């Protein structure tokens, strides 16, 4: 008998792998993503399921051409257009016991699947993943990539900055056992951002481990403009607020740092301005001391832009002075309505459709 869709052999025949990829307005990058799948050195059987949303940039025509060129590539319609809906559609359309989540803007190294399947076989984990290796091609994108990979940018979680192999709360993308995914009910389509974290929470609650290994590195292409970066992080922060309220965990407090920073800087600036008014009115301007709060933040950003390792070009460091506050403030401002129940799925879907189908950093 062959291996069933829910079984992963521990020896002998390599398990079949299904790559699932949600795509929406990704004509520029999707070919490179698919090519990286076809170039994997994994020797087991595989197929590729692309769930394509209602795109307007030629993505539909491109993925249809890729499917005609290789029978292992299948295209499935995703009328909703959201990332979790596309992932579920693609998963349901496949049968192999290993599911590899792929982002349309990611490029998998050739040994990615082989290393991931070896880790699943060795650990029995329900999900295995690694590091989001952000890389840019312009000074702005390089600055965003540097922020992603730093503790001052996104807080320093292992799937952004690396760490030791072992159990984790969440990982980037993910290589899943189908039986674990089926047991917990796949992705929650009501959650437009942060669906990875929420799914991994259910996987852990279901008795499976989520396994991080730094051997898995996936190249990620950041948003190419400040406006798209701002929309991304506002939406991500809004959904993180929603998830923090709905599913409080032991490390939830760290998610409150950006919104508290936003409130502190805003309040310090307003009070400082009031202090200047006091001075003009002949009143002791003690409120100008509140300017210390935004001053500390500005000095922190400038210091990070100057000393962040791995940045070689002056233009990139200059962009960091803008990129870091954009990430912090948009994420922090978005978190507040999300946590206070003022956000809605409709608003979140607006941001999702206005951008692309990439995984949002957390």
């Amino acid at each position: 008998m062959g291996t069933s869709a829910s079984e992963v052999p521990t020896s002998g025949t390599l398990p079949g792998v299904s790559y699932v990829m949600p795509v929406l307005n990704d004509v520029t990058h999707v070919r490179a993503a698919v090519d990286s799948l076809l170039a994997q050195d994994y020797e087991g059987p595989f197929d590729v399921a692309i769930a394509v949303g209602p795109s307007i940039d030629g993505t539909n025509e491109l993925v249809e051409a890729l499917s005609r060129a290789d029978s292992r590539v299948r295209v499935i319609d995703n009328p909703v257009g959201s990332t979790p809906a596309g992932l579920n559609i693609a998963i349901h359309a496949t049968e192999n016991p290993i599911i590899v989540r792929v982002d349309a803007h990611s490029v998998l190294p050739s040994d990615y699947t082989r290393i991931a399947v070896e880790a699943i076989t060795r650990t029995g984990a329900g999900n295995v993943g690694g590091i989001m290796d952000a890389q840019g091609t312009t000074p702005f994108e390089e600055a965003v990539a540097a922020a992603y990979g730093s503790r001052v940018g996104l807080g320093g979680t292992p799937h952004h900055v690396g760490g030791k192999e072992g159990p984790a709360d969440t990982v980037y993308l993910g290589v899943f056992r189908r039986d674990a995914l089926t047991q917990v009910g796949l992705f929650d389509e009501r959650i437009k951002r942060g669906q990875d974290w929420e799914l991994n929470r259910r996987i852990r609650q279901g008795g499976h481990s989520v396994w991080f290994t730094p051997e898995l590195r996936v190249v990620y292409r950041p948003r190419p403009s400040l406006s798209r970066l701002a929309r991304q992080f506002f939406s991500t922060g809004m959904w993180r607020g929603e998830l923090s309220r709905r599913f409080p965990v032991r490390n939830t407090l760290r998610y409150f740092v950006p919104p508290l920073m936003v409130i502190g800087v805003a309040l310090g600036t307003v009070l400082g301005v009031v202090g200047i008014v006091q001075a003009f009115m002949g009143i002791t301007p003690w409120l100008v001391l509140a300017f210390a709060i935004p001053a500390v933040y500005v000095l922190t950003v400038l210091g990070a832009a100057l000393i962040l390792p791995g940045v070689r070009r002056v233009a990139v460091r200059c962009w960091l002075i803008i990129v870091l506050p954009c990430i912090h403030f948009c994420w922090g401002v978005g978190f507040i309505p999300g946590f206070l129940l003022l956000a809605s799925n409709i608003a979140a879907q607006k941001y999702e459709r206005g951008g692309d189908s990439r995984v949002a950093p957390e």
Side-chain angles (χ1 to χ4, degrees):
M1 291 179 62
T3 302
S4 73
S6 63
E7 296 174 339
V8 179
T10 56
S11 61
T13 306
L14 290 173
V17 168
S18 290
Y19 300 97
V20 295
M21 179 193 302
V23 175
L24 176 67
N25 292 323
D26 287 310
V27 70
T28 304
H29 298 94
V30 68
R31 183 185 294 275
V34 173
D35 286 345
S36 75
L37 307 182
L38 301 179
Q40 292 291 298
D41 63 13
Y42 185 69
E43 297 182 354
F46 74 92
D47 60 1
V48 179
I50 303 176
V52 59
S55 302
I56 58 174
D57 66 346
T59 295
N60 299 63
E61 293 79 6
L62 175 58
V63 295
E64 290 289 352
L66 294 174
S67 179
R68 289 193 298 270
D70 194 313
S71 60
R72 295 170 297 184
V73 179
R74 299 164 54 201
V75 177
I76 305 102
D77 186 40
N78 174 20
V80 175
S82 73
T83 296
L87 287 166
N88 286 345
I89 289 170
I91 291 168
H92 283 304
T94 60
E95 297 183 350
N96 286 318
I98 300 293
I99 304 293
V100 180
R101 177 178 181 180
V102 184
D103 185 79
H105 283 241
S106 62
V107 177
L108 303 188
S110 60
D111 58 358
Y112 182 86
T113 306
R114 174 171 51 81
I115 292 174
V117 173
E118 288 173 353
I120 285 179
T121 303
R122 170 168 49 88
T123 65
N127 181 20
V128 169
I131 298 173
M132 185 185 79
D133 184 13
Q135 296 182 17
T137 58
T138 66
F140 173 79
E141 292 176 1
E142 288 182 30
V144 176
Y148 283 176
S150 70
R151 297 188 184 279
V152 72
L154 293 182
T157 52
H159 63 281
H160 288 302
V161 302
K164 295 181 179 180
E165 181 179 26
D169 289 340
T170 191
V171 291
Y172 181 55
L173 296 180
V175 179
F176 304 86
R177 291 201 341 252
R178 181 181 292 272
D179 60 338
L181 269 182
T182 302
Q183 176 189 334
V184 302
L186 306 187
F187 290 88
D188 188 336
E189 297 183 19
R190 298 168 298 177
I191 299 175
K192 308 303 179 183
R193 299 277 190 182
Q195 64 272 151
D196 299 278
W197 180 90
E198 192 278 332
L199 173 63
N200 284 318
R201 180 190 67 87
R202 284 185 282 125
I203 288 175
R204 298 195 313 273
Q205 287 183 338
H208 308 281
S209 64
V210 176
W211 193 262
F212 170 80
T213 173
E215 289 187 86
L216 296 177
R217 301 184 70 94
V218 182
V219 172
Y220 171 88
R221 299 300 183 191
R223 265 58 168 183
S225 67
L226 193 64
S227 62
R228 292 181 67 178
L229 184 71
R231 289 199 302 270
Q232 173 196 7
F233 274 92
F234 179 85
S235 181
T236 301
M238 186 168 60
W239 276 104
R240 175 49 59 188
E242 165 72 15
L243 293 173
S244 295
R245 175 180 50 78
R246 196 188 304 182
F247 308 114
V249 293
R250 66 182 185 279
N251 61 351
T252 294
L253 287 178
R254 74 182 181 90
Y255 297 123
F256 286 84
V257 173
L260 289 175
M261 179 274 299
V262 169
I263 294 171
V265 170
L267 186 61
T269 302
V270 170
L271 292 177
V273 171
V274 173
I276 294 176
V277 174
Q278 286 179 320
F280 278 110
M281 295 175 63
I283 303 172
T284 303
W286 60 271
L287 284 177
V288 295
L289 295 175
F291 276 132
I293 300 173
V296 168
Y297 176 75
V298 170
L299 290 174
T300 300
V301 170
L302 291 175
L306 287 173
I307 67 174
L308 211 61
V311 179
R312 296 180 176 83
R313 295 197 282 175
V314 174
V316 177
R317 294 197 181 276
C318 290
W319 269 116
L320 274 168
I321 298 173
I322 300 173
V323 164
L324 286 171
C326 177
I327 290 174
H328 296 158
F329 276 85
C330 291
W331 199 100
V333 170
F335 183 95
I336 296 170
F339 187 79
L340 296 178
L341 256 180
L342 301 177
S344 68
N345 283 6
I346 295 175
Q349 193 163 1
K350 170 186 173 183
Y351 283 94
E352 181 81 17
R353 288 174 182 263
D356 50 47
S357 60
R358 277 179 286 179
V359 179
E362 298 179 6

